[in-house]
Amino acid sequence: MRALKESLRVPDRMGWNGDPCAPTTWDAWEGITCRPNKNRSALIIYQIDLASQGLKGFISDQISLLSDLVSLNLSSNSLGGSLPSGLGQKSLVRLDLANNQFTGTIPDSLSSSTLQLVLLNNNLLEGRVPEELYSVGVHGGAIDLSGNKGLCGVPSLPTCPLFWENGGISSGGKIAIALSCLLGFSVLLLLAYICCIRRRRHDYDFALPHELMSLSAKRNRYQRQKSLMLLEMESQHAKALPAPFSPH
C-alpha cells in the first residue's frame, strides 16, 4: 500500500499512514474499505475508491499483491502510464478507470471471468481489445471502452490494421516483413548475377584478347604484301609481252 500511495501521489489530507485496516482516528485511510477474510481470521483490503481526488501519478505494479481486492475505482483523475500487467486479480469484480490519461494496451490479465464492470472510457489506450474482456458485456456485465481512439478489434470499435497487435507489429507481421526482406535480397542477388553474366559476354564479344588482335594484324599485313606482289608480277608480265602487230 505504501508503493501504491507513492505511485498514485495520494495527498496527505487523505491519511494513508499506519495499518490500512486498523486506522486510528488521525491517520485513517480515506477511500480504503476492509472486511474479514473467509476464515474471519484477519482483515483484508476489499475496496479502493479514490474517484475525483485530483491524483496525478500512475498505478504501481505492486497492486497485484492485493489478491483479495474486489473493487477498484480511480476514475476522473489525471492518472497516466500503462495499466499494470497484474491488475486483473481473480478477485476483481468492478474496475473503473474512466476519465484518466492511461496509455498503452489493455493487459490480457484483465480478461478475468469474474469481472462484471469494466469502465476504461476516455483514456489514451490503444491496440487490440482482448475478446475475453469484451465478452464481459455479453455475459450480463457492463463494459465501456469509448473515447480511446487507438483501441480496435471488437464491435463498435474500428478493425485493427493487418499485422498489428497490442500497439505493435504482430508475430505474423514480423514474419511477413522478414520474408519480404529475404525475397528482396534474393532478387537483388539475382539481378547482380545477371548483370555480371551479361558483362562477361559483352567483354568476350567486343574486346578480343591481345593474342587474337596480334594474329589479326599479322594476317592483314600478309594480305597487303600478297596483294602488292601480285600487282608487281602482273606489271612485269605486261611489260614482257610483245607489242601487237600493226599493218603499215
Side-chain angles (χ1 to χ4, degrees):
M1 290 300 294
R2 289 182 179 178
L4 193 60
K5 175 184 178 180
E6 293 177 359
S7 67
L8 295 176
R9 301 180 186 176
V10 177
D12 294 337
R13 60 178 172 80
M14 301 185 69
W16 283 55
N17 294 304
D19 188 344
C21 291
T24 62
T25 56
W26 56 269
D27 61 358
W29 288 62
E30 185 177 343
I32 304 298
T33 303
C34 296
R35 72 174 184 182
N37 59 6
K38 293 181 179 180
N39 299 328
R40 306 188 70 82
S41 59
L43 293 175
I44 59 174
I45 297 176
Y46 165 78
Q47 177 176 292
I48 299 177
D49 187 352
L50 298 177
S52 303
Q53 294 297 327
L55 305 180
K56 298 181 180 180
F58 60 95
I59 302 177
S60 171
D61 294 335
Q62 300 295 316
I63 197 171
S64 61
L65 300 178
L66 299 176
S67 56
D68 297 302
L69 186 64
V70 174
S71 178
L72 177 62
N73 185 358
L74 300 175
S75 61
S76 301
N77 285 290
S78 298
L79 298 173
S82 58
L83 301 181
S85 58
L87 181 58
Q89 299 94 319
K90 292 183 178 180
S91 60
L92 197 62
V93 176
R94 296 182 297 275
L95 177 64
D96 187 356
L97 302 178
N99 302 308
N100 278 286
Q101 300 173 11
F102 291 111
T103 59
T105 61
I106 297 177
D108 293 333
S109 59
L110 284 183
S111 304
S112 171
S113 59
T114 59
L115 279 170
Q116 298 178 5
L117 176 68
V118 180
L119 302 179
L120 299 175
N121 51 297
N122 299 322
N123 278 283
L124 303 173
L125 299 172
E126 60 182 0
R128 185 182 298 275
V129 177
E131 294 182 3
E132 296 82 357
L133 178 63
Y134 184 77
S135 65
V136 170
V138 178
H139 295 96
I143 182 170
D144 189 352
L145 303 174
S146 62
N148 293 278
K149 295 182 179 181
L151 291 180
C152 61
V154 296
S156 76
L157 294 177
T159 302
C160 292
L162 187 64
F163 300 137
W164 191 258
E165 185 176 2
N166 294 332
I169 301 176
S170 64
S171 299
K174 293 178 181 178
I175 293 175
I177 292 176
L179 291 176
S180 299
C181 293
L182 180 61
L183 178 61
F185 183 70
S186 301
V187 170
L188 289 177
L189 286 179
L190 180 60
L191 291 176
Y193 177 75
I194 293 175
C195 290
C196 290
I197 294 298
R198 289 184 175 179
R199 182 175 296 177
R200 289 178 181 177
R201 290 180 178 177
H202 179 79
D203 293 342
Y204 178 77
D205 292 339
F206 297 101
L208 295 176
H210 177 72
E211 292 79 5
L212 292 179
M213 294 180 64
S214 178
L215 182 61
S216 178
K218 291 180 179 178
R219 182 180 178 183
N220 291 335
R221 286 197 298 271
Y222 173 76
Q223 293 291 344
R224 288 197 298 270
Q225 292 176 357
K226 182 178 180 181
S227 298
L228 291 174
M229 289 177 62
L230 290 174
L231 289 175
E232 186 176 355
M233 290 175 62
E234 290 178 357
S235 177
Q236 292 178 357
H237 180 70
K239 291 179 179 179
L241 292 176
F245 175 76
S246 57
H248 295 284

